Amino acid sequence: MKITVMYKEQPSILMDSHQVINAEELFNDVEDASCVDIRCERVLDEIVYHHRDEALSNIVSKLRYGGTISLEGVDYAILCKNVMLGKHAPLDLNTLLYADSRQSLSYLLEMTQKLEALGLKVDTSKYSSDTDTYECPFYTIEAHRPNVEK
């Protein structure tokens, strides 16, 4: 199964050969180790911070061995750097922090380490937007669950 996970407030759209579901459906309806490809587009940003690790572990549990996962989220380290450099006004920062029912933020290195701690091998990690603009800087991480060695 290939799925794209959107938060429940985001509109459902057809994407490639992926089934589009919301986070609640992923947690409740998708069997463990049933997905060969999972795309999470800012889903963890919509989860309260003290539930993020549990949610990430739950998402990774849906991935089968050899499967891939892609995570995207707002990078708060770059966002804070931009504020300190005067690239964002305080009002812009409030808008960026609390837009789209955002509940928590993380940063690229933190999420890379969390995926590795869950047994995944990180293939690529990058920033998705120009981190020098007024837009919110996003990270994208692609990882896979290694096959079990016999």
Side-chain angles (χ1 to χ4, degrees), residues 86-148:
K87 295 178 182 174
H88 293 295
L91 290 177
D92 292 337
L93 182 61
N94 283 331
T95 302
L96 293 172
L97 287 175
Y98 301 109
D100 302 324
S101 69
R102 195 168 289 126
Q103 298 288 318
S104 62
L105 298 174
S106 57
Y107 60 100
L108 184 89
L109 181 60
E110 172 191 23
M111 295 309 295
T112 299
Q113 291 172 339
K114 288 181 186 227
L115 288 172
E116 289 171 342
L118 290 169
L120 300 185
K121 170 134 178 33
V122 174
D123 300 316
T124 62
S125 57
K126 62 183 179 180
Y127 295 105
S128 300
S129 69
D130 180 0
T131 58
D132 290 331
T133 67
Y134 284 97
E135 295 178 19
C136 214
F138 293 100
Y139 61 80
T140 301
I141 304 169
E142 294 176 1
H144 72 276
R145 175 174 264 171
N147 288 315
V148 177

Side-chain angles (χ1 to χ4, degrees), residues 22-94:
N22 66 39
E24 187 174 320
E25 291 171 317
L26 174 72
F27 299 145
N28 298 324
D29 300 337
V30 176
E31 296 291 323
D32 286 352
S34 63
C35 298
V36 294
D37 191 18
I38 300 174
R39 295 179 188 168
C40 294
E41 301 180 355
R42 292 174 254 162
V43 172
L44 292 173
D45 292 352
E46 311 301 330
I47 295 174
V48 177
Y49 186 77
H50 60 274
H51 292 296
R52 283 176 68 101
D53 288 346
E54 178 184 352
L56 181 60
S57 179
N58 193 320
I59 291 168
V60 169
S61 75
K62 308 303 180 183
L63 196 60
R64 47 172 74 162
Y65 289 104
T68 59
I69 187 168
S70 174
L71 291 180
E72 180 183 281
V74 174
D75 191 295
Y76 78 78
I78 299 296
L79 189 59
C80 290
K81 176 184 131 193
N82 287 349
V83 169
M84 296 302 293
L85 293 174
K87 295 178 182 174
H88 293 295
L91 290 177
D92 292 337
L93 182 61
N94 283 331

